[in-house]
């Protein structure tokens, strides 16, 4: 999909390649996919999470950080396989569990869910956008705002 030449481009760190364009879903606090996300529905099921019952399917998930369990990678990969995962993920801090989940989905199922790490100075603007585009390939990653 073409991106407008007027889009504001933020440089990001590429963690898992792909392309996504969707409305963002900003997590109020970190989420563990293991026990926190129903991979069959894309619904947050962590009963202690402030956004319990919200659906992340097809959205660009913004997370300041991941939260635990290495099993979360398999939950994320399964959600992506079932078409119930996020379209892409923007992190503020590097998270191997989230990145591996997206990489596994790409490798095993051929479904890309780009994962990028934003710069702290860009976070407020990115997290307040109504729509985001993630372009992550080769050695480069960008977050574009309309």
């Amino acid at each position: 999909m073409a991106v407008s030449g007027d889009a504001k481009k933020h440089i990001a760190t590429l963690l898992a390649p792909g392309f996504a364009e969707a409305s963002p879903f900003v997590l109020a606090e970190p989420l563990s996919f293991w026990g926190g996300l129903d991979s069959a529905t894309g619904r947050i099921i962590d009963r202690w999470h402030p956004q319990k019952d919200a659906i992340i399917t097809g959205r660009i998930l913004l997370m300041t950080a991941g939260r635990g369990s290495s099993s979360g990678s398999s939950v994320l990969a399964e959600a992506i396989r079932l078409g119930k995962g996020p379209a892409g993920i923007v992190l503020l801090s590097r998270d191997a569990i989230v990145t591996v989940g997206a990489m596994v989905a790409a490798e095993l199922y051929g479904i890309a869910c780009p994962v990028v790490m934003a710069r702290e100075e860009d976070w407020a603007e990115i997290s307040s956008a109504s729509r985001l585009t993630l372009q992550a390939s080769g050695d480069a990653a960008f977050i574009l705002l309309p």
Side-chain angles (χ1 to χ4, degrees):
M1 180 170 281
V3 177
S4 165
D6 296 334
K8 181 162 186 182
K9 185 184 280 191
H10 291 280
I11 296 170
T13 301
L14 186 147
L15 301 175
F19 176 89
E21 183 176 18
S23 59
F25 185 91
V26 182
L27 285 175
E29 61 183 54
L31 175 71
S32 172
F33 291 113
W34 178 255
L37 180 71
D38 180 350
S39 62
T41 64
R43 186 172 62 90
I44 295 174
I45 57 172
D46 178 345
R47 67 183 195 168
W48 304 111
H49 197 278
Q51 291 158 300
K52 181 184 181 296
D53 293 326
I55 305 291
I56 66 165
T57 303
R59 308 280 298 273
I60 294 180
L61 191 61
L62 275 70
M63 307 170 60
T64 56
R67 192 184 86 208
S69 189
S70 58
S71 301
S73 294
S74 63
V75 175
L76 176 58
E78 181 67 0
I80 294 167
R81 181 185 77 82
L82 295 171
K84 299 299 180 178
I89 301 172
V90 177
L91 298 165
L92 189 53
S93 60
R94 205 176 282 271
D95 187 287
I97 293 167
V98 171
T99 304
V100 166
M103 292 170 80
V104 166
E107 184 68 26
L108 294 182
Y109 312 124
I111 304 169
C113 173
V115 180
V116 302
M117 188 172 66
R119 298 182 301 191
E120 190 167 349
E121 61 266 23
D122 298 333
W123 188 257
E125 184 176 14
I126 291 166
S127 62
S128 65
S130 61
R131 193 143 185 92
L132 296 174
T133 300
L134 304 183
Q135 295 177 339
S137 64
D139 292 335
F142 302 98
I143 303 166
L144 295 98
L145 288 69

